[in-house]
Amino acid sequence: MDKNGIYDFMLSVVTDLERQGRYSTAHVYRCALKAVITYGGISFNVEQLTPTWLYHYQEYLLKQELLWNTISTYMRMLRAVYNRAVDLGMTPYIPRQFKNVFTGRYVNHQRALKKEEIRLVLSNEEAVQETDLPEEASDVSLSSRDLRWARACLELMLRFHGMPFIDLANLRKADLRNGYLTVRRHKTGMPLSVAVDAAAMKLIRRYANTDPSSPYLLDILDARLTGCAAYENYQRVLRLLNLRLYQLSCRCGVGKRVSSYTARHTWATIAKSCGVSIEMISEALGYASISTTQGYLKQFDSHEIEKANKIIISYIFK
């Protein structure tokens, strides 16, 4: 084992993350490790991680037609590994080591649909008629997840402040009380209070988890699984959801690829066009902050956020 080798070092980081139950982060590290080894070789050393090498590595990733956000993710994983290596004395510290590569976030406005487009996707009955749909080989057991199911997930995420799919999938029966969902964001831990209107409640009842032993509100995740198996189960369902939403977007002819991100971006974009403040949008989405000055701004009452959500839903559906 090469004590300064990128492969062994990053693999040890992945193992630690998995031991902590952080399977999603571990998965990203594995992808970043695979990419860097493909380019630099399995014997690539931490000390070879120079600004020049990083620049050429970025050019290589661009030639592989990777998206800028994917490249940024890989670079940030490498930067975290490099900082760990510096702390352990494995390599000398180089100021502004990653100055020549992209580690930011590229905002893709194409993820958001216009009012007419989202209404078309959610109301086109011809598009969800049952026909043979291509399956991923690993997801044959999930073939019951049809276009109507995918559309229902999209609509629920939209009605719930642009809720991410991971938060929708992890909703608990105990979270729904007196017409409200009270949850915490999976990613940030921020609390959210979401009013459940009649249309959303109808969808919840249609796709409710009827297993009395399962804590989940919706029939999305398998409560019998834990640890890595539970994470892989979620990833399979997420892949199938994105496949179904892509098929739905093609059938509706919206000209944009609809995915699990669409509801979130659409809600935020339409909220802004309706005059909802960025601070309120940020809190409704469950973000910890929007800037270093956000901490000085008052929190919005849940009734104010509910009112904003009603404006957006009314604008879309009425």
Side-chain angles (χ1 to χ4, degrees):
M1 171 177 159
D2 184 355
K3 66 177 183 179
N4 286 355
I6 281 283
Y7 179 80
D8 290 327
F9 188 56
M10 287 188 71
L11 202 58
S12 69
V13 173
V14 169
T15 302
D16 287 341
L17 290 169
E18 290 177 340
R19 190 178 297 115
Q20 297 169 31
R22 299 171 60 187
Y23 301 107
S24 180
T25 305
H27 173 72
V28 177
Y29 269 93
R30 281 191 182 278
C31 292
L33 173 59
K34 182 178 179 180
V36 75
I37 294 304
T38 299
Y39 177 70
I42 198 168
S43 60
F44 183 71
N45 197 287
V46 176
E47 294 179 347
Q48 296 174 262
L49 204 62
T50 63
T52 301
W53 185 93
L54 288 166
Y55 173 79
H56 290 299
Y57 176 51
Q58 178 173 272
E59 292 299 303
Y60 162 77
L61 294 177
L62 285 171
K63 290 180 181 178
Q64 304 305 307
E65 299 184 351
L66 269 65
L67 299 177
W68 275 112
N69 282 338
T70 303
I71 293 173
S72 174
T73 299
Y74 288 176
M75 291 300 179
R76 285 184 281 111
M77 295 300 100
L78 272 181
R79 184 173 60 189
V81 168
Y82 167 75
N83 288 336
R84 289 192 183 206
V86 170
D87 291 341
L88 293 173
M90 296 171 57
T91 188
Y93 172 69
I94 302 176
R96 302 184 67 196
Q97 169 85 313
F98 289 75
K99 65 178 180 180
N100 294 325
V101 294
F102 181 64
T103 57
R105 179 172 178 78
Y106 175 74
V107 180
N108 183 4
H109 295 289
Q110 293 302 312
R111 285 179 169 177
L113 298 182
K114 296 178 181 178
K115 177 185 73 171
E116 296 78 11
E117 293 171 331
I118 190 66
R119 289 179 66 174
L120 175 62
V121 171
L122 295 178
S123 63
N124 190 331
E125 286 302 315
E126 292 184 3
V128 294
Q129 295 303 315
E130 291 187 10
T131 57
D132 292 336
L133 294 171
E135 303 281 354
E136 288 186 334
S138 61
D139 292 322
V140 174
S141 62
L142 301 175
S143 58
S144 61
R145 313 289 192 182
D146 58 10
L147 294 174
R148 291 184 184 278
W149 167 79
R151 187 174 69 175
C153 289
L154 181 67
E155 183 170 344
L156 284 172
M157 289 187 286
L158 184 68
R159 289 184 178 276
F160 297 159
H161 305 179
M163 179 178 285
F165 182 63
I166 190 168
D167 290 344
L168 182 75
N170 280 281
L171 286 176
R172 307 279 169 147
K173 295 172 184 175
D175 295 335
L176 180 59
R177 289 288 183 274
N178 302 319
Y180 282 85
L181 285 169
T182 305
V183 297
R184 284 188 177 273
R185 280 289 323 278
H186 185 272
K187 185 175 181 180
T188 65
M190 294 293 290
L192 289 176
S193 178
V194 182
V196 181
D197 60 22
M201 186 61 73
K202 183 178 180 180
L203 291 173
I204 288 175
R205 291 194 180 106
R206 182 180 302 167
Y207 294 98
N209 191 318
T210 57
D211 181 359
S213 66
S214 173
Y216 294 122
L217 179 65
L218 299 170
D219 187 18
I220 296 176
L221 302 179
D222 188 340
R224 297 169 298 177
L225 302 177
T226 60
C228 187
Y231 170 73
E232 291 174 350
N233 173 238
Y234 168 75
Q235 288 295 322
R236 284 195 297 272
V237 178
L238 176 61
R239 285 196 299 271
L240 190 56
L241 173 68
N242 283 326
L243 172 64
R244 291 286 180 257
L245 290 176
Y246 169 69
Q247 293 165 344
L248 184 61
S249 64
C250 291
R251 291 189 177 194
C252 291
V254 295
K256 296 178 182 177
R257 187 180 185 116
V258 178
S259 73
S260 59
Y261 287 103
T262 298
R264 195 162 182 78
H265 286 258
T266 299
W267 192 94
T269 301
I270 292 179
K272 186 176 180 181
S273 69
C274 288
V276 179
S277 70
I278 295 178
E279 292 83 5
M280 188 178 291
I281 293 171
S282 176
E283 186 161 333
L285 292 173
Y287 289 132
S289 65
I290 59 171
S291 69
T292 55
T293 60
Q294 180 63 25
Y296 297 99
L297 300 175
K298 74 178 185 71
Q299 286 192 329
F300 292 94
D301 185 81
S302 60
H303 294 294
E304 293 180 271
I305 294 178
E306 179 186 343
K307 182 179 178 181
N309 190 51
K310 286 182 178 179
I311 292 173
I312 295 158
I313 296 303
S314 177
Y315 177 78
I316 294 172
F317 292 100
K318 298 180 182 178

